[in-house]
Amino acid sequence: MLPDILGIAKKHNLILNHNTLNKKEVQCKCPFCEEDQKPGKQKRFYLSLNTDRQVFRCWFCDEKGGVFRFISLLERKSEDEVIAEFRKQKKSGYNQHPAERLSLSQLRLIGFSQKPNWGELRKQNLTRYKNQLNWFWTEWNQFLNEERKLAYATFFIGTITGKNQQSVDTIKAREREIGASLLNEAVKVYSSKVRPKWAKDKERLALEICNINNPSIVGGQK
Ligand SMILES: [Zn+2]
């Protein structure tokens, strides 16, 4: 059986059109061209996921293919690599904890200098293996949380100063540095009806900062 394309989309935090969630064709924002994330296109969802055949297609940029190609694009790996990993996982019947997939450079970002040999550790001491995984995963998520807040502030500043492209480029560069998605989450928070308190705090701060530099910009927001 093929990997579930909708599960993959969820795992990568793609923005789904909730009205289509129980349908055969699920719509979501296209992470490849990001055309439907542009201002004024909040209601558009160009990427279509076929949950029967596990294929995808973007109606704007025409990126398309099967679920393995989908994963390879999202995780920036070759399709062969994705298929090999899938086969390996299927054979061992063992599902990797996401913390095990953190790279050494990601671990360094959260203050660890080495990547444990997870397979060995699991064999030697199951409790320690689990504790360590949870510890790493908690640290990573705390780090990612802060990164996402920062990305949101950057995105918001882009919208109020009219420098959207610049802020998007900054966020994308950071995504490449840390190997995790930030832009989708920022757009998701920005387009949600009820924004969390931290987002409002960041907005207030951004407005204050921009107000000092250029009062005319913020004038229009009130
Ligand atoms: Zn597209």
Side-chain angles (χ1 to χ4, degrees):
M1 217 170 76
L2 291 171
D4 160 42
I5 199 160
L6 183 60
I8 304 290
K10 285 180 179 166
K11 187 178 130 196
H12 287 274
N13 290 309
L14 299 194
I15 305 165
L16 303 166
N17 179 353
H18 287 273
N19 298 330
T20 62
L21 265 188
N22 297 320
K23 296 183 179 156
K24 194 177 91 182
E25 295 270 343
V26 176
Q27 293 173 350
C28 71
K29 296 270 183 195
C30 179
F32 311 120
C33 63
E34 294 172 345
E35 178 66 25
D36 44 17
Q37 296 187 13
K38 289 186 177 165
K41 290 200 171 178
Q42 286 92 333
K43 286 183 184 157
R44 307 266 172 174
F45 294 87
Y46 288 134
L47 190 72
S48 175
L49 309 174
N50 184 307
T51 56
D52 260 7
R53 294 170 50 227
Q54 315 298 344
V55 296
F56 70 99
R57 178 170 188 183
C58 170
W59 299 102
F60 190 86
C61 67
D62 206 34
E63 189 61 76
K64 58 177 180 277
V67 65
F68 291 121
R69 178 168 166 74
F70 192 55
I71 300 170
S72 84
L73 291 170
L74 289 170
E75 299 186 358
R76 297 188 180 98
K77 291 173 184 165
S78 75
E79 218 174 309
D80 286 344
E81 210 176 327
V82 173
I83 293 170
E85 273 174 19
F86 176 71
R87 287 211 182 114
K88 203 172 137 193
Q89 207 178 83
K90 218 173 150 184
K91 214 167 140 189
S92 66
Y94 151 66
N95 247 324
Q96 254 187 348
H97 187 285
E100 289 180 61
R101 287 193 289 265
L102 292 173
S103 67
L104 179 58
S105 52
Q106 287 176 322
L107 291 177
R108 284 193 173 134
L109 287 167
I110 52 173
F112 298 104
S113 57
Q114 295 175 11
K115 183 175 167 135
N117 185 335
W118 292 114
E120 267 310 303
L121 193 59
R122 192 162 53 102
K123 267 187 244 158
Q124 282 168 7
N125 189 331
L126 197 61
T127 314
R128 228 182 88 207
Y129 159 81
K130 283 183 183 167
N131 287 344
Q132 206 149 335
L133 275 176
N134 287 333
W135 178 29
F136 279 42
W137 196 232
T138 309
E139 291 290 325
W140 173 253
N141 280 305
Q142 274 169 6
F143 167 78
L144 204 55
N145 235 340
E146 289 310 311
E147 286 289 328
R148 287 185 171 153
K149 288 179 185 174
L150 206 61
Y152 181 72
T154 309
F155 183 82
F156 184 76
I157 289 172
T159 63
I160 59 170
T161 57
K163 291 180 179 164
N164 298 58
Q165 196 52 52
Q166 211 168 312
S167 69
V168 165
D169 289 346
T170 306
I171 297 169
K172 281 189 182 167
R174 187 60 182 158
E175 282 185 336
R176 284 191 292 275
E177 262 170 38
I178 69 169
S181 73
L182 299 169
L183 184 63
N184 275 339
E185 289 69 20
V187 174
K188 210 191 242 175
V189 172
Y190 186 70
S191 47
S192 63
K193 282 192 191 109
V194 188
R195 295 203 282 283
K197 187 186 171 291
W198 67 259
K200 289 179 185 161
D201 289 345
K202 291 277 181 219
E203 288 170 19
R204 207 174 307 125
L205 190 65
L207 283 167
E208 265 171 37
I209 293 167
C210 295
N211 202 7
I212 294 162
N213 296 328
N214 192 346
S216 66
I217 295 161
V218 187
Q221 293 283 317
K222 285 176 185 162

